[in-house]
Amino acid sequence: MRIDYHLHLEEGPYSLRWLDRTNVALQHFVPVAAPRHSLDWLKQSQALLQERLEKGAFSPFWIDLYLEEAERKGLQEVGIVDHLYRFTEARDYYYRHIDISDSDLGCLQKEWLDQVMIESIHHFTAAIEEAKKRWAKRGITLRLGLEADYFADGEEELRELLKLGNWDYVIGSVHFTEGWGFDNPDTQARFQTQDVPALYEKHFALIEREIRSGLFDFVAHIDNMKVFNYRPDENHLLHYYEHIARVLRECDVATEINAGLYYRYPVKEMCPSPLFLSVLARHRVPITISSDSHYPDDIGSYVAQNVETLLRHGYTEVATFEKRQRIMKPLKG
């Protein structure tokens, strides 16, 4: 079964690079009939971008481009999420738990947060609930999800925020360590001053707390500390992999095979790594499949390949979700 349970509608900051990438996505669906980089091409591209900007990420105009690509790639179920940090309702939560001090890191992260936190969670949930009907008419099941950052000792705040939506599932993510957003390209130089093995020890301790919190239906990209290729010899990480696999089984929480780091980041590797996946498979940890797309042309990326990967590891079922209940479905068929 081909599914994609972790993809996003939009993410800033709204740079010229963001504008160019959005233009690439639009022209994947509506090719401009003019020579590339000609004046006519630029004017037609501008018109498409203007329509996208005016209608917004939660419009049928944008959401249903994901539907077109889902059909093209043979997906049967899709879960659309957005990051909790996109929503203004979560401002106090992030202000309390990430570094927004007057330091260089804090100033950079506060600027980033203010650039991306521009939407209401209610507009998002309403848009996806409405889209479910349109997608069903085309034969694809659409689910409503949320990707929420986990912070140690922030469980009760997060529990209250999760009440703002009627979710089909909630993904737990760790993007910050001690207030530092370690997968932000603008902060990656910080790795050069860190004790990398100690970072991984802290990371997996936080992953364990995330799993045990009881807040999440599955946990995302559980080894994404490797995002910029700072990683000890994996033999030294194997005991963490074994421990996290046991905790996932004990708590009956699923995880994902996520392609995002493979095609969007320097590490060029799936999450989890091949070694980590072999450990999860041996412990029979439930797993779902994710492209981690942030644009409609990337939905379903590497899903077919990851179905085959899971089959080779002995998986016969994949995790899907509805109204916070996990439903295991055959990988084939």
Side-chain angles (χ1 to χ4, degrees), residues 32-45:
V32 169
R36 182 172 169 79
H37 295 166
S38 66
L39 186 57
D40 283 345
W41 174 87
L42 184 60
K43 288 179 177 178
Q44 292 178 52
S45 299

Side-chain angles (χ1 to χ4, degrees), residues 53-110:
L53 289 169
E54 287 178 357
K55 292 184 175 178
F58 300 159
S59 67
F61 170 81
W62 187 246
I63 291 173
D64 289 355
L65 294 183
Y66 289 80
L67 172 57
E68 285 188 36
E69 193 68 10
E71 288 180 319
R72 187 175 297 152
K73 289 177 177 165
L75 299 177
Q76 294 148 292
E77 288 193 26
V78 170
I80 292 179
V81 306
D82 257 338
H83 292 285
L84 182 60
Y85 58 64
R86 295 279 295 148
F87 303 123
T88 55
E89 292 86 351
R91 189 177 302 278
D92 288 347
Y93 179 65
Y94 282 91
Y95 274 15
R96 268 191 285 275
H97 293 287
I98 75 171
D99 186 343
I100 55 167
S101 68
D102 289 335
S103 67
D104 288 346
L105 175 65
C107 290
L108 186 151
Q109 291 192 154
K110 185 176 187 304

Side-chain angles (χ1 to χ4, degrees), residues 190-262:
R190 191 177 176 90
F191 275 101
Q192 297 171 17
T193 65
Q194 301 294 307
D195 178 339
V196 173
L199 279 180
Y200 277 81
E201 182 178 7
K202 293 174 190 173
H203 178 73
F204 285 114
L206 197 56
I207 293 288
E208 178 176 359
R209 290 189 62 167
E210 172 191 37
I211 296 164
R212 293 191 184 280
S213 72
L215 292 168
F216 307 112
D217 301 296
F218 74 87
V219 289
H221 40 61
I222 51 179
D223 59 343
N224 70 326
M225 182 61 74
K226 68 190 181 186
V227 56
F228 297 116
N229 274 317
Y230 292 89
R231 178 167 61 181
D233 185 317
E234 268 203 289
N235 290 318
H236 299 303
L237 299 178
L238 189 56
H239 67 288
Y240 295 124
Y241 296 171
E242 292 281 353
H243 182 66
I244 293 299
R246 287 193 293 270
V247 173
L248 284 164
R249 281 292 292 176
E250 175 191 338
C251 298
D252 194 27
V253 174
T255 188
E256 63 176 0
I257 183 166
N258 181 311
L261 264 61
Y262 179 71

Side-chain angles (χ1 to χ4, degrees), residues 124-134 142 144 165-168 323:
F124 170 65
T125 58
I128 302 306
E129 291 294 352
E130 182 61 31
K132 284 182 178 183
K133 304 165 192 172
R134 299 194 306 274
L142 179 60
L144 170 63
N166 187 21
W167 314 107
D168 287 308
K323 303 305 178 193

Side-chain angles (χ1 to χ4, degrees), residues 10 18-33 36 41 44-57 59-66 68-69 72 294-298:
E10 180 176 281
W18 178 90
L19 205 62
D20 179 63
R21 181 62 185 86
T22 302
N23 188 45
V24 169
L26 288 167
Q27 293 196 30
H28 175 79
F29 299 96
V30 188
V32 169
R36 182 172 169 79
W41 174 87
Q44 292 178 52
S45 299
Q46 182 184 23
L48 278 172
L49 284 165
Q50 187 64 34
E51 183 177 11
R52 162 65 180 81
L53 289 169
E54 287 178 357
K55 292 184 175 178
S59 67
F61 170 81
W62 187 246
I63 291 173
D64 289 355
L65 294 183
Y66 289 80
E68 285 188 36
E69 193 68 10
R72 187 175 297 152
H294 287 67
Y295 295 91
D297 50 324
D298 280 339

